[in-house]
Amino acid sequence: MTAKHSLLSTALLVACASTPPAAVPPVTTAPETAPAATAAATAPPPPGPVASPAAPLTLEERAAKLHREAIVVDTHDDITSAILEDGYDLGTAGGHATDLAKMRAGGIGAEFFSIYVDKSFYEHPSSRSGGAARRALDMIDVTYQQLERHADALTFARTVDEIRAAKQAGKIAILMGIEGGHAIENSLSALRDFYRLGVRYMTLTHTNNNDWADASGFFVSPRPAHHGLTAFGEEVVREMQRIGMLVDVSHVSDETFDAVMRVARAPVIASHSSARALCNVPRNLTDDQLRALAKNGGVAMVNFFPGFLDPRYQAAQQAFREKHKVEIDALTARHAKISELQAAMARMGAGDLPKTPLSVLIDHIEHVAKVAGVDHVGLGSDFDGVPALPEGLSGMDDLPKITLELCKRGFPDEDVKKILGENFLRVMSAAEAFAQSTKTTLSGDGSVRQIER
């Protein structure tokens, strides 16, 4: 879309013929004066001043304008963990990638708060800490807490229309996505209840296999338990799409990805995954998977974590995790707070790992756009859920830098807006439309299938 130029308009003066004296009948006006009067009345007016065309926008001005106009959507933010575990409030500035000031400065239009359920709540539920579903409910409640505390800036959204309305109202739309399908505790009824509470996508697995789907792991994949999806896992996918909840294939194994593509009848998403061709870790999507996602009509939201972007950082980070495995596992086992974990990692030397330039993140966005098509790529930051970010991208306030870099690489205005959010909004609209097309009720027509025992 080219920049529009506005032209100034000025009033044009028209010369009129003089009125003849009243005592002289108009028909007796001297013949020789009529042509002059007629000419004066019909002659084109003198040209008025013409405004000079507006100066073309600089690249920086164009990027800033695009970012203001776009609905910027980020599909994965783990700030909910700090809110729940540390009592963090979004009105507090500093210390995190996400706060209200940074959200405003970054021009975010819609943010998905991650309802992250660590595998420990699935593997070792307790009477005190509860299980996976209880953890998800606690996460959802603190999301509502922040919405109520900051109603002047934030608004809850369940649909694409509500996201667009929030943009028009000058507010930030907050949505929720469950990370880890074990959160439903193998209950399709629980799945539907989470949808009622506003959850609009679910990542089928986290780093662990669950009872019906295999995971990709982190840097190393766990041993397959099901070789994809079980029959119940397929039912989970079908039920999610029937009710309008987006199926998220980030974190799933390659076999699970293939199984989802066989079952899916509506577009699916990868909420925070990068390109495996550029950084060879199982958490990323292969080129074949990117093409399959495009064929499905879905979208890959690129993750900002250097461990999934940069082979240099990935190798160093994997070595770091192996060196400090005992300490990290101990912190995880006792549900260490985010602040504790970050402080411990800093003492171990996490800050000494190689730095990843912002250009590497843009390389991944560009790669997905080339392989899958520009209609199938977006942003899934993983803010406040990863130990590092690319240089120059320390928080949500730096999001406009991505827009500028996309402009520098020659992406047209329309494509930049697609990447920033319109691609995801299209997919979410398709999920809503598919659910409506089934003409079913949420629970009355819901599946009652259970895991075969």
Side-chain angles (χ1 to χ4, degrees), residues 83-275:
I83 294 170
L84 178 61
E85 296 172 9
D86 296 341
Y88 175 73
D89 185 88
L90 289 172
T92 305
H96 290 280
T98 309
D99 61 44
L100 286 181
K102 289 177 180 176
M103 294 172 89
R104 291 188 184 104
I108 193 71
E111 184 66 54
F112 273 83
F113 281 7
S114 175
I115 307 305
Y116 163 58
V117 180
D118 186 81
K119 66 180 180 180
S120 60
F121 292 96
Y122 160 70
E123 295 172 346
H124 307 290
S126 71
S127 58
R128 174 170 293 186
S129 300
R134 149 82 183 278
R135 178 67 169 187
L137 290 170
D138 288 348
M139 284 276 193
I140 290 170
D141 188 63
V142 296
T143 299
Y144 276 107
Q145 173 201 79
Q146 293 298 306
L147 284 160
E148 292 167 9
R149 285 184 183 175
H150 304 291
D152 58 327
L154 308 176
T155 185
F156 195 54
R158 292 176 174 82
T159 66
V160 172
D161 285 347
E162 289 177 354
I163 293 173
R164 295 194 185 281
K167 174 74 173 181
Q168 290 295 318
K171 289 192 174 186
I172 299 166
I174 300 298
L175 300 96
M176 295 183 292
I178 286 177
E179 185 173 25
H182 48 270
I184 67 171
E185 295 188 1
N186 304 326
S187 166
L188 296 176
S189 299
L191 175 73
R192 292 186 285 268
D193 286 337
F194 283 130
Y195 181 85
R196 282 190 180 88
L197 289 171
V199 172
R200 286 302 178 263
Y201 79 68
M202 183 171 75
T203 318
L204 299 184
T205 66
H206 190 235
T207 58
N208 56 290
N209 300 332
N210 57 41
D211 292 327
W212 42 270
D214 288 338
S216 67
F218 197 71
F219 290 142
V220 179
S221 297
R223 186 174 181 177
H226 316 292
H227 293 284
L229 291 172
T230 67
F232 181 77
E234 292 179 354
E235 192 71 6
V236 170
V237 170
R238 281 190 286 267
E239 189 68 355
M240 288 175 69
Q241 294 200 324
R242 183 189 71 84
I243 66 177
M245 185 186 291
L246 286 161
V247 175
D248 177 18
V249 294
S250 287
H251 282 294
V252 305
S253 72
D254 291 351
E255 289 180 298
T256 301
F257 179 96
D258 292 342
V260 169
M261 290 299 112
R262 289 193 297 270
V263 174
R265 296 175 59 197
V268 306
I269 67 168
S271 68
H272 57 307
S273 294
S274 301

